[in-house]
């Protein structure tokens, strides 16, 4: 019997070669990818995931509590006026303490940051970050890449070749994947998840921030739209849609739609698809706190992608998204698992926690959005308008 065909690169022609190694190496990689999927239920059961049982949502010690503005640092590029504007807007909206605003300098607007320069920047950030800070918000849309990694994985996991892949290869697993028990990632794992407050204008940044703040504690009604598309190479996540509906359908309406487009939906809380160029985004109404992403090769190339940039989701009204910056091939482990993402979100985790817990191999992908958005209140979470939570939703 012939060996199974290799996974195709998402950006290449159908049937293009994905692996160049010998047959045993191809088989080993395939087994590893399959193993990630098979390990998922075990990871959920062991990690305090909301999929494990109904008791897990309150399993963290009260002393840990949920993350909020007291645990986030903003990193601003002082050489970029737009980054300064985004950072100031976010600091004011989320009441970030002044000692948690860190300024660095590098040439603005470039897609990629030189690894040597990044190491110097990261060393400075590490020195200036208060010990209690657990997560980072990066106040820019470019650069989105450092060497072969995304900039969010570089800030969070460090420059590490294990999180890179040249060609169709798997990477190291994230220490945060499916780890619902980790409430303080820096204290517990020495990892600070990061997310880009990605915008190409002050107005777009302001809308994004307002969407996140407006979502807090609203327990919004809405629908998760899971699209099964005609694009066989990019429709890989559709095989798990029934599992998603079974897991969260009692808490959030889930619609599985066999179509390449979603048009005119007025209650979008999640939009998951697999296409290079989703269309009709602006015909839909995204509720505050909504998440949306598309499985394709270069959605994380935010400012110069040959495919649709993940920024288009935020500009259409979503509060969070994700995309890869280099060719990931059709490994679903390199993209958000919608069931994990929405399960953690529904239990009251912040956007940044939920997205980071949902991607097994995030080294090549960027997380973008408003990190502290929390539409579903968790135990002990600060309420909108609390002195330590956020400015009033009417604040400008």
């Amino acid at each position: 019997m012939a060996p199974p065909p290799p996974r195709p690169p998402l950006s290449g022609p159908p049937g293009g070669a994905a692996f160049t190694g010998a047959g045993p190496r191809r088989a080993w990689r395939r087994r590893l990818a399959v193993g990630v999927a098979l390990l998922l239920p075990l990871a959920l059961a062991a990690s305090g995931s909301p999929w494990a049982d109904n008791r897990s949502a309150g399993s963290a010690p009260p002393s840990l509590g949920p993350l909020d503005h007291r645990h986030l640092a903003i990193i601003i590029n002082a050489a970029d006026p737009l980054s300064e504007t985004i950072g100031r807007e976010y600091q004011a909206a989320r009441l970030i303490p002044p000692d948690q605003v860190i300024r660095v300098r590098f040439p603005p607007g470039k897609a990629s940051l030189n690894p040597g320069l990044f190491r110097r920047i990261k060393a400075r950030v590490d020195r200036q970050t208060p010990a209690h800070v657990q997560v980072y918000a990066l106040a820019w849309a470019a650069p989105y890449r450092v060497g072969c990694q995304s900039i969010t994985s570089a800030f969070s996991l460090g420059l590490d070749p294990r999180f890179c892949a040249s060609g169709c290869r798997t990477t190291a697993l994230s220490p945060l994947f499916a780890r619902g028990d980790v409430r303080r990632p820096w204290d517990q794992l020495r990892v600070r998840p990061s997310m880009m407050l990605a915008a190409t204008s002050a107005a777009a940044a302001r809308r994004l921030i307002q969407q996140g703040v407006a979502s807090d504690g609203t327990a919004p009604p809405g629908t998760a739209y899971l699209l099964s598309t005609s694009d066989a190479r990019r429709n890989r996540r559709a095989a798990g849609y029934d599992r998603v509906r079974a897991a969260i359908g009692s808490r959030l309406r889930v619609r599985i739609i066999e179509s390449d487009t979603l048009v005119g939906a007025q209650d979008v809380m999640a939009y998951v698809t697999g296409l290079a160029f989703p269309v009709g985004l602006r015909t839909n109404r995204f509720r505050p706190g909504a998440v949306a992403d598309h499985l394709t090769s270069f959605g994380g190339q935010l400012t110069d992608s040959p495919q649709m940039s993940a920024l288009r989701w935020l500009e259409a009204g979503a509060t969070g998204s994700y995309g890869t910056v280099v060719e990931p091939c059709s490994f679903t482990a390199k993209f958000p698992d919608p069931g994990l993402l929405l399960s953690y979100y529904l239990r009251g985790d912040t956007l940044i926690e939920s997205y980071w817990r949902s991607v097994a191999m995030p080294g090549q992908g960027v997380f973008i959005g408003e990190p502290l958005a929390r539409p579903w209140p968790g135990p002990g979470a600060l309420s909108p308008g609390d002195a330590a939570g956020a400015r009033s939703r009417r604040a400008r």
Side-chain angles (χ1 to χ4, degrees), residues 15 17 29 39 43 50 74 103 110 119 131 182 207 226 250 281 363 387 390:
R29 287 181 184 134
L39 283 171
I74 308 171
R103 286 176 168 81
K110 295 184 178 181
R119 288 188 180 93
V182 175
R207 287 193 299 271
L226 311 180
S250 63
L281 271 58

Side-chain angles (χ1 to χ4, degrees), residues 38-65:
L38 294 178
L39 283 171
L40 181 56
L42 298 177
L44 295 173
S47 68
S49 160
W51 286 25
D53 60 52
N54 292 330
R55 295 170 296 172
S56 61
S59 62
S63 60
L64 296 180

Side-chain angles (χ1 to χ4, degrees), residues 192-204:
R192 288 188 173 108
S194 59
M195 177 171 278
M196 302 178 73
L197 287 162
T200 56
S201 71

Side-chain angles (χ1 to χ4, degrees), residues 287-346:
R287 294 194 181 279
V291 294
D293 59 66
H294 58 308
L295 192 155
T296 193
S297 295
F298 306 119
Q301 295 185 359
L302 300 179
T303 55
D304 57 356
S305 179
Q307 300 171 342
M308 192 189 88
S309 164
L311 272 179
R312 303 292 88 82
W313 292 110
L314 302 189
E315 292 166 357
T319 305
S321 189
Y322 175 92
T324 49
V325 302
V326 295
E327 174 62 69
C329 293
S330 53
F331 289 115
T332 55
K334 295 183 180 182
F335 292 87
D337 180 301
L340 285 176
L341 168 61
L342 293 171
S343 290
Y344 287 119
Y345 215 24
L346 285 162

Side-chain angles (χ1 to χ4, degrees), residues 110-128:
K110 295 184 178 181
S112 183
L113 197 60
N114 175 273
L117 176 57
F118 173 80
R119 288 188 180 93
R120 294 193 292 274
I121 291 170
K122 182 63 163 57
R124 175 170 182 155
V125 168
D126 288 345
R127 289 193 302 270
Q128 296 187 19

Side-chain angles (χ1 to χ4, degrees), residues 228-233 235 259-260 274-275:
S228 181
T229 73
S230 61
D231 188 332
R233 286 179 292 160
N235 196 41
S259 176
D260 288 353
L275 286 174

Side-chain angles (χ1 to χ4, degrees), residues 135-184:
V135 297
Y136 288 131
L138 314 181
W140 61 78
Y144 51 74
R145 177 175 171 175
V146 183
C148 58
Q149 287 180 246
S150 69
I151 199 163
T152 51
S153 73
F155 267 106
S156 303
L157 304 169
L159 289 184
D160 188 332
R162 296 178 304 151
F163 294 103
C164 289
S166 178
C168 290
R169 291 176 171 83
T170 56
T171 71
L173 296 180
S174 166
L176 286 167
F177 175 59
R179 289 295 304 274
D181 59 316
V182 175
R183 295 294 190 169
R184 293 290 184 271

